[in-house]
């Protein structure tokens, strides 16, 4: 939805992207909030959570050594110390928004996958799933950035409704609440979905997949310029910046010869089936 050409670069061309300080900090904070629930409720305090930051950073480095390059030009460690300090502040802010001593998540970093009647497979990773004694389900997602302005809130909620659709199909119950926790601004955005919301999401996903299928067959992936272009790693091969995309790696058919609903190519492996995946900090 952000940019069709970016989708092509990431999913079909699989062009590498440099790690960023912001995204990596988000991954670090998510890891800390996940690990905190390993402790007994009474020990889930802000000082303990902040103390987890260095260790989780070491674990992240061990799994992804390339992240060390983020601070390669920081011989005195000042930038790294400031970056870790910001992660600690985000973790500490969470305690003003939720009380972990009163929470016992049913799931953390939950991988979910389901298949729609159309055959389209959906999968993603949910930060936290809470289940009340009465069986009501709440889906929670942490964001390390700031809350969007009201006119852009629907875009943020789409991710949560996606998760709600998957959970509904897996657990046969519509989640009672969707909750976005914005650590960057200290806001909590909630939404209580109804079945009609999830039907609309399913229809939108099917329309998106149809657009992906057609673009895959014709090779026509158009850029969609926005303010986010300034952070894109692929400006050198983007026509909006005077670049030329790499040679398209798939066979194509002219746009006029593609019959609706009869796609023969998908930007995922054939044995996996058509898939829409959603995750991230």
């Amino acid at each position: 939805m952000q940019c069709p050409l970016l989708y092509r670069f990431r999913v079909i061309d699989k062009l590498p992207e440099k790690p960023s300080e912001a995204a990596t900090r988000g991954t670090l904070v998510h890891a800390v909030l996940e690990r905190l629930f390993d402790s007994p409720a009474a020990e889930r305090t802000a000082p303990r959570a902040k103390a987890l930051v260095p260790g989780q950073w070491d674990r992240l480095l061990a799994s992804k050594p390339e992240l060390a390059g983020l601070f390669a030009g920081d011989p005195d460690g000042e930038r790294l110390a400031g970056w870790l300090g910001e992660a600690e502040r985000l973790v500490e802010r969470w305690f003003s928004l939720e009380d972990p001593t009163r929470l016992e998540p049913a799931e953390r970093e939950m991988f979910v996958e389901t298949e729609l009647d159309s055959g389209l497979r959906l999968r993603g990773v949910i930060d936290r799933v809470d289940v009340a004694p009465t069986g009501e389900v709440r889906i929670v997602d942490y964001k390390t950035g700031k809350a969007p302005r009201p006119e852009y809130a629907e875009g943020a909620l789409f991710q949560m409704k996606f998760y709600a659709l998957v959970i509904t199909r897996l657990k046969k119950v519509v989640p009672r609440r969707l909750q976005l926790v914005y650590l960057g601004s200290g806001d909590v955005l909630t939404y209580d979905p109804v079945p009609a919301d999830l039907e609309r999401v399913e229809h939108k996903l099917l329309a998106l997949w149809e657009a992906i299928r057609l673009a895959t067959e014709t090779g026509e992936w158009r850029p969609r310029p926005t303010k986010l272009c300034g952070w894109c790693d692929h400006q050198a091969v983007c026509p909006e910046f005077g670049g030329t995309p790499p040679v398209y790696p798939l066979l194509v058919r002219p746009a006029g010869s593609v019959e609706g609903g009869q796609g023969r190519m998908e930007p995922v492996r054939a044995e996996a089936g058509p898939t829409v995946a959603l995750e991230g900090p």
Side-chain angles (χ1 to χ4, degrees):
M1 292 189 296
Q2 177 186 327
C3 175
L5 184 58
L6 178 59
Y7 180 95
R8 176 203 146 169
F9 288 159
R10 285 176 169 171
V11 178
I12 297 179
D13 296 295
K14 300 187 185 304
L15 300 183
E17 295 182 344
K18 297 177 294 185
S20 72
E21 291 186 19
T24 304
R25 182 168 49 234
T27 302
L28 173 59
V29 170
H30 276 70
V32 170
L33 298 185
E34 179 190 5
R35 296 297 176 188
L36 183 65
F37 285 103
D38 290 339
S39 303
E43 298 178 17
R44 297 171 196 160
T45 63
R48 182 176 182 84
K50 290 167 64 177
L52 290 173
V53 170
Q56 290 303 311
W57 171 235
D58 289 340
R59 290 185 61 179
L60 195 56
L61 273 178
S63 63
K64 297 182 178 181
E66 66 272 15
L67 295 179
L70 288 171
F71 304 101
D74 183 35
D76 298 326
E78 291 184 8
R79 279 181 49 229
L80 175 59
W83 183 82
L84 290 173
E86 179 58 26
E88 291 178 359
R89 285 188 286 274
L90 291 171
V91 168
E92 187 172 32
R93 181 172 289 157
W94 177 59
F95 286 82
S96 69
L97 305 174
E98 296 191 287
D99 182 358
T101 65
R102 301 178 61 185
L103 296 171
E104 291 297 340
E107 301 285 351
R108 291 172 278 155
E109 295 297 316
M110 179 185 183
F111 175 79
V112 291
E113 183 175 44
T114 191
E115 189 172 295
L116 301 180
D117 296 338
S118 65
L120 180 62
R121 186 176 303 157
L122 310 179
R123 59 174 175 242
V125 178
I126 303 174
D127 289 346
R128 198 179 86 218
V129 177
D130 301 331
V131 180
T134 55
E136 295 177 311
V137 175
R138 176 172 64 182
I139 298 175
V140 181
D141 194 73
Y142 309 120
K143 300 294 185 185
T144 49
K146 297 181 180 180
R149 293 190 305 222
E151 60 266 34
Y152 298 112
E154 185 57 35
L157 281 173
F158 178 77
Q159 174 188 5
M160 302 301 286
K161 292 176 182 178
F162 176 101
Y163 292 150
L165 173 62
V166 177
I167 287 293
T168 298
R169 296 185 69 89
L170 292 175
K171 296 184 176 294
K172 310 304 180 186
V173 58
V174 176
R176 175 69 178 81
R177 173 153 294 180
L178 310 178
Q179 182 166 302
L180 282 158
V181 181
Y182 287 94
L183 304 177
S185 57
D187 295 297
V188 176
L189 176 63
T190 62
Y191 184 82
D192 297 340
V194 296
D197 290 322
L198 307 187
E199 291 176 8
R200 286 191 288 269
V201 170
E202 183 169 348
H203 292 157
K204 185 170 185 176
L205 289 171
L206 292 173
L208 283 171
W209 186 257
E210 177 63 10
I212 290 170
R213 185 191 66 79
L214 289 173
T216 302
E217 290 210 345
T218 62
E220 295 182 4
W221 299 91
R222 298 180 180 179
R224 183 175 297 156
T226 67
K227 293 180 180 179
L228 296 174
C229 291
W231 285 273
C232 184
D233 280 342
H234 309 301
Q235 294 180 12
V237 290
C238 178
E240 292 295 318
F241 292 86
T244 300
V247 175
Y248 193 57
L250 303 179
L251 297 175
V252 298
R253 287 192 290 173
S257 68
V258 177
E259 299 179 5
Q262 302 298 319
R264 59 180 174 81
M265 287 189 180
E266 298 156 350
V268 294
R269 285 192 245 177
E271 66 268 21
T275 305
V276 173
L278 188 60
E279 58 183 298

